[in-house]
Amino acid sequence: MFKHCILLFLFILPSLALRAQPVEVVRSKELLTLQGISYFQHKVEKGQTLYSISRAYGASMEAIVEANPGSDAGLKLGQVLLIPAGRAQAAPAEASAAAAEGRIYHLVRQGETLYGIARIYNTSAEVLQGLNPGLSQGLHPGDRLLVPGAAAEASPSISAEGPRQYSLYTVRKAETVYGIAERLGVTVDDLYLLNPSLSQGLEEGMQIRVPVLPAQTAMPPQGPVKHKVRKGEDLASIAAQYGISVETLLAANPGLEQGLSGPARGSELVIPSAKDAAPAELSMQESPRTMAEAFQPQPVPSGKAPCTPDAHNLLPTYRVALLLPFYAAAGDTISTDPVHAVNPSEYPSFRFIQFYEGLLMALDTLEKEGLRMDLKVMDVTEDTLGLEQSLRREGLENMDLIIGPLYSGSFQVVSRFAAHYGIPLVNPFTNRDEVVLGRPHVFKAYPSEDDRMGGLADFLLDTYPGAPVFLAGKETDREKHLRRAFNRGIRQSLQAHGLDSTAWTDLSGAGVNPAGWSGKLSSVRPNVFVTLSSDQVYVSNLLRKLHALRGQYQFIVIGLPSWEGFSALDPDYLIGLNLHLYANSWVDYSDPASVRFVERFRKAYQAEPDAYAFQGYDLARFFFSAMMRYGEDFSQCLREYPFEGLQTHYRFRGGSGNGYMNSWLNIYRLDNYREVDARQFPLGTP
């Protein structure tokens, strides 16, 4: 967004005098059903943000991000988002009445065929013709077709009375929805889904329903059993499978030593019975209060040799599975009309194609360096029916690595499958930290909230030492959640730097009136304002107040990645206030390596690479090159294998019964109408 703003500033300078007004989000009436689940299709317009779209549909931002992986990294003009219809507010009265009577309508899109629509609803073209006599006149975009009501009954639904179990939780004083979700290891969306009254707020003593997934609780066996160690397993992962502690496992197997290398592959371990088993290391009641506490760096046990390249441990061919939602079944709905150009963003089948293409480019590069790989690609959507059988049918139990899937329900199925066979599993896009809890085989490519805030705090104290730091924002649940994470990060950073807490000031909830905090500003050092707000009005007001003080003070403003979607921010303010942004991924298009990648991608696919293309390339380069370096035990060495990619770096941490998360945070700033790496070129660099 800022690149476009820069061009406009240079070539259409007078237009900057016009201030864009907040854009009203109009709810789409276009419904799309994929794998039996209905979605609103919303086309992103200028000025719209994830927050404003969620408000318009009454859906949580978490639900939208889950249905559109990667959307939290920023929205693009013209991008089509899928908004889960089941989590949105009530549709128009006519649609509501239809739903109440068991009737379901499908809105016909450009290029759709009667046969393709019938396949979506698991019915026949003849049945649709019988339900819609007007079809004798032909099928036209915008037509509403009545489809069999049984499709709704058979389709997965978002229900509070499904196969999951729930427990009651009593709300304590001053608790928030985000705080409860974080502490209990569930998603905010789950809580709102099961407790519609939460939209009215929380009260002390209120009882709310909390989901308990049976698969998350492993029960010890009723009698001693033997476990044959599979590839990639360690003591923590084996203990987690049986719901026992590592100490219990060690006690039942005299002579077994605890270490990162784990027990020998093929050896047999005794798993004690339930009456002899000690309590598991983690339970819901005893889980760490924060993700940061759960992922403290683990010491390397004595006697463990460091990870080094080992030619004897290499495999002649590596087997990797890529699971992405290609929606192949909907492929026949794509228009092939040569007169009208196809917009790929309108079709879910194209959403992650560039991730796949970027991965293929990395594979091509590494194969020239000697890598031999069998890559199996599967179309895995949000539909979990029969998924585990499909994994076995395709032979995925023999994989050395699985990448994906993207949707949470499918990922849980694949995670259980991968854990059973000792296969490392990569989640490329999720921000949900709970995917790695109790899953030592899982690698999460995006950093946790705690890592992002801790990385931001480290950056500020390392790059701008002595600068006063002010934390500004509103008192929303989301901002309180971010503020707690930042507070934890900056306290740890202050302690590591030997500083006290007087080096920063929390202004959250104090408004944007400088009279309340101008006396704390420094006239000799830059004043750092960390603004963890996604409210465009609040952000605009704060920046305007700070800009008015530029004649007396120097400022550095740290903003959220979502600001790139704000249309009302004045480019003069952003540059004059030395705006810094952080993001899960960021590409320096002036870097020669990025330039070469763009040129190769254009030549190979006749298209411009998007963010997914860079992410697919980096992810594949990292994991595939680790395979080449460390062999079949590569997953145990990833913490010791730093990697610098085109759109992010990989620095994994974790372990001790949990999975691994990338801890790297990209921080960039605006400098003379261009984006630069803030670590490499901090403020003041010539």
Side-chain angles (χ1 to χ4, degrees):
M1 188 283 282
F2 290 123
K3 290 185 180 65
H4 300 309
C5 286
I6 290 164
L7 292 175
L8 289 172
F9 184 85
L10 293 175
F11 298 107
I12 319 177
L13 186 62
S15 67
L16 289 180
L18 300 177
R19 295 289 175 263
Q21 298 299 317
V23 176
E24 179 184 2
V25 178
V26 179
R27 282 173 52 115
S28 171
K29 297 181 180 179
E30 185 173 355
L31 278 171
L32 170 67
T33 300
L34 297 170
Q35 305 294 337
I37 301 176
S38 296
Y39 299 89
F40 291 106
Q41 294 185 93
H42 179 86
K43 190 172 184 179
V44 177
E45 298 181 2
K46 184 177 180 181
Q48 292 181 350
T49 66
L50 197 59
Y51 175 74
S52 63
I53 294 171
S54 71
R55 287 283 301 273
Y57 286 89
S60 71
M61 290 190 290
E62 288 80 6
I64 297 175
V65 170
E66 186 169 328
N68 302 270
S71 59
D72 58 320
L75 302 180
K76 297 180 180 179
L77 189 65
Q79 177 181 355
V80 175
L81 296 177
L82 298 180
I83 313 296
R87 300 183 185 184
Q89 290 176 345
E94 183 180 357
S96 298
E101 297 173 13
R103 292 184 284 125
I104 301 176
Y105 287 99
H106 176 90
L107 188 66
V108 179
R109 297 179 299 146
Q110 179 70 37
E112 282 191 312
T113 64
L114 191 62
Y115 173 72
I117 297 171
R119 287 185 61 187
I120 291 174
Y121 292 92
N122 195 28
T123 186
S124 66
E126 291 74 18
V127 170
L128 292 182
Q129 288 173 331
L131 292 173
N132 301 271
L135 285 179
S136 58
Q137 306 298 321
L139 196 63
H140 307 285
D143 287 349
R144 288 199 315 157
L145 297 186
L146 180 63
V147 298
E153 296 171 5
S155 65
S157 62
I158 302 171
S159 170
E161 304 299 337
R164 298 188 296 178
Q165 298 176 351
Y166 305 94
S167 61
L168 292 178
Y169 177 84
T170 302
V171 178
R172 303 171 187 172
K173 184 177 181 179
E175 279 194 311
T176 65
V177 176
Y178 280 94
I180 294 172
E182 179 184 18
R183 192 161 65 84
L184 299 183
V186 300
T187 66
V188 171
D189 196 52
D190 278 336
L191 294 181
Y192 277 108
L193 176 64
L194 300 177
N195 304 274
S197 62
L198 287 183
S199 60
Q200 307 299 321
L202 283 178
E203 295 181 4
E204 182 181 0
M206 176 191 296
Q207 285 196 324
I208 62 175
R209 292 195 290 180
V210 177
V212 177
L213 301 180
Q216 290 180 342
T217 305
M219 295 300 295
Q222 296 305 306
V225 297
K226 288 190 175 182
H227 175 90
K228 189 173 183 179
V229 179
R230 294 180 290 266
K231 180 182 66 177
E233 288 187 318
D234 59 15
L235 295 182
S237 63
I238 296 170
Q241 289 181 47
Y242 294 96
I244 62 176
S245 68
V246 173
E247 289 74 15
T248 298
L249 189 58
L250 288 170
N253 295 270
L256 185 64
E257 294 183 0
Q258 183 175 3
L260 289 181
S261 57
R265 181 180 179 182
S267 61
E268 288 190 342
L269 302 182
V270 175
I271 309 299
S273 63
K275 63 183 178 61
D276 300 323
E281 291 179 305
L282 287 178
S283 66
M284 177 177 289
Q285 290 76 18
E286 298 172 350
S287 60
R289 292 184 65 253
T290 69
M291 292 298 296
E293 294 169 353
F295 286 85
Q296 290 298 322
Q298 302 300 317
V300 178
S302 58
K304 170 65 174 70
C307 288
T308 55
D310 184 358
H312 299 289
N313 201 31
L314 303 182
L315 297 178
T317 302
Y318 294 92
R319 294 158 297 188
V320 175
L322 176 65
L323 314 183
L324 291 178
F326 293 113
Y327 296 102
D332 60 351
T333 67
I334 299 175
S335 173
T336 57
D337 186 349
V339 177
H340 300 94
V342 174
N343 181 0
S345 66
E346 296 180 0
Y347 297 96
S349 298
F350 289 126
R351 293 175 67 199
F352 300 103
I353 283 291
Q354 289 211 5
F355 181 89
Y356 175 44
E357 293 169 341
L359 181 145
L360 290 180
M361 287 183 60
L363 180 57
D364 177 69
T365 298
L366 293 174
E367 284 182 334
K368 293 175 182 177
E369 299 176 9
L371 176 66
R372 294 293 175 264
M373 179 174 290
D374 287 337
L375 179 65
K376 181 179 287 292
V377 181
M378 287 183 62
D379 179 12
V380 179
T381 64
E382 62 271 46
D383 185 8
T384 60
L385 185 64
L387 176 55
E388 186 166 351
Q389 290 80 359
S390 298
L391 300 177
R392 298 183 190 279
R393 185 171 59 249
E394 295 295 330
L396 263 66
E397 67 271 16
N398 298 314
M399 294 294 109
D400 298 300
L401 177 70
I402 299 176
I403 301 174
L406 305 187
Y407 292 102
S408 61
S410 302
F411 188 83
Q412 289 182 25
V413 174
V414 176
S415 178
R416 291 194 295 268
F417 178 90
H420 181 74
Y421 290 102
I423 305 170
L425 176 64
V426 180
N427 194 311
F429 299 125
T430 187
N431 282 312
R432 296 169 54 242
D433 298 334
E434 57 264 30
V435 301
V436 296
L437 283 176
R439 296 168 176 164
H441 61 292
V442 172
F443 292 83
K444 177 174 172 289
Y446 278 0
S448 69
E449 201 74 83
D450 283 300
D451 277 329
R452 280 195 288 265
M453 295 296 98
L456 185 59
D458 282 339
F459 165 79
L460 293 176
L461 296 177
D462 287 335
T463 310
Y464 304 117
V469 177
F470 299 87
L471 185 59
K474 300 179 67 178
E475 288 295 300
T476 65
D477 280 350
R478 175 60 177 166
E479 291 186 37
K480 289 178 182 178
H481 172 72
L482 289 174
R483 189 163 68 251
R484 284 195 300 270
F486 182 80
N487 288 343
R488 289 192 294 267
I490 199 166
R491 286 194 181 98
Q492 292 174 1
S493 297
L494 288 168
Q495 184 178 7
H497 287 74
L499 301 174
D500 58 37
S501 60
T502 59
W504 69 286
T505 303
D506 191 344
L507 300 176
S508 299
V512 295
N513 185 3
W517 40 262
S518 59
K520 299 181 180 181
L521 298 177
S522 172
S523 58
V524 296
R525 297 179 183 275
N527 298 277
V528 179
F529 272 73
V530 180
T531 310
L532 304 176
S533 177
S534 57
D535 186 312
Q536 186 169 185
V537 174
Y538 174 86
V539 171
S540 298
N541 288 338
L542 177 64
L543 296 187
R544 187 170 62 253
K545 299 287 187 180
L546 294 178
H547 193 267
L549 297 173
R550 282 185 62 232
Q552 307 171 53
Y553 307 101
Q554 183 182 24
F555 294 101
I556 295 174
V557 173
I558 309 292
L560 294 175
S562 59
W563 289 17
E564 290 193 282
F566 289 176
S567 61
L569 299 187
D570 190 323
D572 281 342
Y573 292 176
L574 303 179
I575 295 171
L577 294 173
N578 302 304
L579 178 66
H580 290 51
L581 295 174
Y582 67 89
N584 292 329
S585 63
W586 172 74
V587 177
D588 181 1
Y589 286 95
S590 66
D591 179 64
S594 298
V595 173
R596 289 193 297 270
F597 175 80
V598 171
E599 292 174 348
R600 285 183 57 204
F601 194 93
R602 289 171 177 169
K603 183 177 180 180
Y605 302 111
Q606 290 77 53
E608 289 296 313
D610 61 14
Y612 288 136
F614 283 94
Q615 290 169 333
Y617 181 80
D618 279 354
L619 196 78
R621 281 296 302 264
F622 174 69
F623 283 95
F624 296 174
S625 61
M627 287 178 160
M628 294 178 65
R629 183 178 180 88
Y630 300 113
E632 63 177 343
D633 296 328
F634 73 96
S635 64
Q636 301 175 26
C637 297
L638 294 179
R639 286 194 301 173
E640 303 177 33
Y641 185 48
F643 178 86
E644 297 185 2
L646 299 180
Q647 52 84 38
T648 195
H649 298 175
Y650 290 115
R651 304 286 191 274
F652 280 96
R653 69 183 187 93
S656 187
N658 296 313
Y660 300 84
M661 295 190 293
N662 183 23
S663 60
W664 182 261
L665 181 68
N666 295 279
I667 304 176
Y668 56 100
R669 68 182 183 88
L670 293 186
D671 179 58
N672 197 24
Y673 302 103
R674 65 190 182 101
E675 295 174 357
V676 299
D677 188 329
R679 285 190 175 91
Q680 187 177 0
F681 303 104
L683 185 63
T685 303

